[in-house]
Amino acid sequence: MRRVVCDGERLGLRDVTEADVTALHTIYSHPAAVQHAPFAPRSLQEVTGLVEEAMEAAAAEPRRLYVLAVVDARHRDVIGVARLRIEADLPHSAEIGFGLHPDQWGRGIGTDLVRLLLSFGFKQLGLHRIWGARSPANLPAQLAMLTAGMVEEGRIRHHLHTPNGWRDSIVHSAIEGEWTER
């Protein structure tokens, strides 16, 4: 099993471990952090289950799911979570998702995180296309993805069922040959 370690200037990505459950719970349980997610704040037990599933996925061959702790480059504290899921039918394409603790908002960390995910996907995994979907109301995610070099492709109507009802998604993507690290 190949462990993920991907370091940027301000952030790093690494596989989640059991030791991350408490830090991840502070993100997944925070109402503001999950306000645009298709789920309600998560319990400690639910986050423990997510980490266990992530560790199982890390051992799979071929590996299709990467659940990664987002860490502060200086202190190595967990400040967020990122997912990259390689599509089973399209092994050249992957979907990304990410969340940061609200304490990290407003400092460009989201843009750095998207750039790091794109770099990981294109350079380390050899992907051709990486895409992500966001809530139409999630303007910080829009800004992060556009600034990181992704292109807005369009809207998927009633894409996800959330605790508040059906929600549209706005899709962004980056293509390996068009994307350049900035």
Side-chain angles (χ1 to χ4, degrees), residues 1-76:
M1 173 177 65
R2 182 167 81 81
R3 304 300 290 168
V4 173
V5 176
C6 185
D7 289 316
E9 195 172 306
R10 296 196 296 170
L11 303 174
L13 298 173
R14 63 164 173 74
D15 285 298
V16 297
T17 68
E18 289 177 27
D20 298 325
V21 169
T22 301
L24 292 173
H25 181 249
T26 66
I27 299 160
Y28 278 115
S29 67
H30 198 293
V34 300
Q35 69 182 326
H36 299 293
F39 53 83
R42 306 268 178 149
S43 69
L44 184 60
Q45 183 178 1
E46 288 172 315
V47 174
T48 300
L50 292 172
V51 169
E52 289 169 357
E53 290 172 17
M55 292 170 51
E56 287 175 24
E61 286 295 332
R63 185 171 181 182
R64 300 241 182 252
L65 176 64
Y66 296 82
V67 180
L68 307 169
V70 179
V71 297
D72 172 85
R74 187 184 320 160
H75 303 291
R76 306 311 285 180

Side-chain angles (χ1 to χ4, degrees), residues 19 31 70 110 135 147 156 158 176:
V70 179
S135 162
T147 304
I156 303 172
H158 284 223
E176 188 272 331

Side-chain angles (χ1 to χ4, degrees), residues 8-162:
E9 195 172 306
R10 296 196 296 170
L11 303 174
L13 298 173
R14 63 164 173 74
D15 285 298
V16 297
T17 68
E18 289 177 27
D20 298 325
V21 169
T22 301
L24 292 173
H25 181 249
T26 66
I27 299 160
Y28 278 115
S29 67
H30 198 293
V34 300
Q35 69 182 326
H36 299 293
F39 53 83
R42 306 268 178 149
S43 69
L44 184 60
Q45 183 178 1
E46 288 172 315
V47 174
T48 300
L50 292 172
V51 169
E52 289 169 357
E53 290 172 17
M55 292 170 51
E56 287 175 24
E61 286 295 332
R63 185 171 181 182
R64 300 241 182 252
L65 176 64
Y66 296 82
V67 180
L68 307 169
V70 179
V71 297
D72 172 85
R74 187 184 320 160
H75 303 291
R76 306 311 285 180
D77 295 330
V78 175
I79 60 170
V81 62
R83 291 174 46 100
L84 184 145
R85 183 185 53 82
I86 298 172
E87 298 179 53
D89 298 350
L90 304 166
H92 64 276
S93 179
E95 176 186 13
I96 60 170
F98 54 93
L100 292 168
H101 192 281
D103 291 352
Q104 303 300 317
W105 295 358
R107 301 184 307 145
I109 298 288
T111 299
D112 288 355
L113 173 53
V114 174
R115 285 182 179 139
L116 203 53
L117 279 169
L118 294 174
S119 179
F120 171 65
F122 291 137
K123 291 181 173 183
Q124 292 189 36
L125 300 179
L127 296 170
H128 175 70
R129 180 176 191 275
I130 299 173
W131 66 279
R134 65 169 175 85
S135 162
N138 192 345
L139 299 181
Q142 175 188 24
L143 181 61
M145 288 191 275
L146 291 174
T147 304
M150 298 181 83
V151 173
E152 188 172 308
E153 290 186 340
R155 179 182 294 256
I156 303 172
R157 296 174 59 224
H158 284 223
H159 181 226
L160 296 172
H161 193 269
T162 73

